[in-house]
Amino acid sequence: MLLDVLKAAPNNPGALYLLGSNLVRLRMFEPARRVLGDVIRLSPGNADAHLDLSFALSGLGRQDEALACCDAAVRLAPANPAAHMQRAMMLLAQLRHEEAVLAFDQVVALAPHFADAHYNRAKALTTLNRFEEAVASYDKAIAAQPPYTNAQAGKGTCLLSLGRYEEGFPLYELRPSLRKLAEHRVYAQPRLTSDIDIAGKTIFIYHEHLLGDTI
């Protein structure tokens, strides 16, 4: 049906946008980039086209251009939390953490219960060593989308950095890397817990990430 419309009216910006958006969802980023570029030439005020073009460009590794498209989408649709979210995620990917925090602030101002925005804001704050603020953002993510295990694990990391070990360690044990490790590594030895007497015993240690963990 969509292709029939485009065959009859190849410069129909609405139909072209739907095609480009679907190509993004199919991760066909190069054809999506070309189609959405045509949409923007025909309809430069289409904020959604700029936003979807940012996804396509990001998928192609063209991060600076993707961020420029996010800026355009935000300028054209300043009340759209999705546009601000994509911009914040692009800044986070470019390790521009302070700017990313400010961008996530815009998202949660527009959508206070956007769990992923709170979660990624907390990640940026953690990188900036702003652990108390990060804990507060993780809490908001968990409240918006319980149990949000990744947010609980991230909170655990921050609590450990703050020296709040009794609170932090149980949450840190929920970290994704440990869950993945449990799925792929099965050993006959029991896991070491605080109630096991290790006197005269050998402890088997294996690394979770890289050899630095073992050292």
Side-chain angles (χ1 to χ4, degrees):
M1 183 69 174
L2 179 57
L3 294 178
D4 290 338
V5 172
L6 286 169
K7 191 176 292 184
N11 289 323
N12 182 314
L16 282 170
Y17 169 70
L18 288 175
L19 175 60
S21 182
N22 283 318
L23 288 169
V24 170
R25 289 178 175 81
L26 292 170
R27 302 184 65 80
M28 299 173 66
F29 297 125
E30 178 55 32
R33 181 195 66 79
R34 294 196 298 267
V35 171
L36 291 166
D38 290 339
V39 176
I40 291 168
R41 282 188 287 275
L42 293 165
S43 182
N46 186 331
D48 289 336
H50 286 281
L51 182 57
D52 280 347
L53 181 56
S54 77
F55 284 109
L57 289 165
S58 178
L60 293 168
R62 296 163 63 169
Q63 307 302 337
D64 290 339
E65 295 170 81
L67 181 58
C69 286
C70 292
D71 290 337
V74 165
R75 185 173 62 253
L76 291 165
N80 182 357
H84 288 280
M85 181 67 177
Q86 172 65 355
R87 180 173 181 274
M89 293 300 292
M90 291 303 309
L91 290 167
L92 190 61
Q94 293 186 13
L95 306 182
R96 294 163 62 176
H97 296 103
E98 291 186 1
E99 294 173 83
V101 170
L102 295 175
F104 285 121
D105 287 344
Q106 293 290 324
V107 180
V108 299
L110 293 166
H113 302 296
F114 198 154
D116 286 348
H118 289 294
Y119 172 72
N120 285 288
R121 180 178 185 272
K123 287 175 63 177
L125 289 165
T126 300
T127 303
L128 294 168
N129 296 328
R130 292 162 60 179
F131 300 118
E132 295 281 5
E133 295 172 79
V135 167
S137 277
Y138 279 129
D139 281 338
K140 288 178 181 177
I142 295 162
Q145 187 180 300
Y148 211 141
T149 309
N150 286 3
Q152 292 192 62
K155 178 182 175 181
T157 301
C158 291
L159 292 171
L160 293 176
S161 298
L162 292 166
R164 293 162 60 179
Y165 302 118
E166 289 189 9
E167 299 169 80
F169 273 119
L171 296 176
Y172 185 62
E173 288 298 298
L174 302 173
R175 61 196 181 278
S177 56
L178 187 63
R179 295 200 302 275
K180 187 178 294 186
L181 198 65
E183 293 170 5
H184 296 290
R185 293 190 181 180
V186 179
Y187 297 105
Q189 295 85 349
R191 287 192 63 191
L192 181 63
T193 56
S194 59
D195 60 334
I196 295 177
D197 182 5
I198 62 172
K201 296 181 179 178
T202 299
I203 301 175
F204 172 51
I205 299 175
Y206 55 93
H207 63 84
E208 178 181 341
H209 296 290
L210 301 171
L211 287 176
D213 287 359
T214 304
I215 296 169

